[in-house]
Amino acid sequence: MTEPKKRVAAEEDVVVAERRAKLARTRAVSNPYPNDFSRTHMALRVKAKYGETPGEELERQQVAVTIAGRLMSKRVVGETSFGIVEDVSGPIQIAVSGDAAGKASRAAYAQWDSGDIVGVEGILYRTADGELTIRAHSIRLLVKALRPPEDYARDGGGDA
């Protein structure tokens, strides 16, 4: 094996070891692979139906959605954290705050990794910059990914 391949393999071993430790912590408090979550919506259909709906109208309608998919990226900053969840139909943005989802859910979300599969229940809204987003009222880890997504290594990271 060449030197760069050895370095990449060693880095991947560290990532997998960290994720296995997170899995062990999850197992200590709950089932890390629950099978009782039912989604009601697909990301692409939500975007097709509500993609042009103004923010004021979304606030008035209080459109509830439930999706499940792979956490592709996340930003844990300030009072509200954002992420991209991608199901088989495509990606959609989520927002996780202590006010809407609860402090425990937000703290759990902060520990999850790119590649984990999550279930999100929430209300559609538009962010200040106009992005259609699910304001999570409930968010659960459905599957802990031990390896990052394929593009994680190519893009040089994952979570921002």
Side-chain angles (χ1 to χ4, degrees), residues 149-157:
E150 289 271 334
D151 59 351
Y152 180 91
R154 286 193 306 270
D155 293 342

Side-chain angles (χ1 to χ4, degrees), residues 135-147:
R135 179 181 291 118
H137 290 179
S138 172
I139 186 165
R140 293 176 55 197
L141 180 66
L142 302 178
V143 175
K144 179 67 189 156
L146 296 181
R147 296 191 182 278

Side-chain angles (χ1 to χ4, degrees), residues 5 14 23 29 52 92 94 99 112 136:
K5 285 184 181 180
V14 170
L23 175 60
V29 296
E52 300 300 318
I92 193 163
I94 64 169
D99 291 340
W112 299 341

Side-chain angles (χ1 to χ4, degrees), residues 10-26 111-114 116 144-148 152 157 159:
E11 289 171 4
E12 186 172 305
D13 288 346
V14 170
V15 169
V16 171
E18 289 171 354
R19 288 175 179 229
R20 284 187 188 279
K22 288 180 180 182
L23 175 60
R25 288 192 297 271
T26 301
Q111 298 303 308
W112 299 341
D113 299 303
S114 292
D116 290 349
K144 179 67 189 156
L146 296 181
R147 296 191 182 278
Y152 180 91
D159 301 333

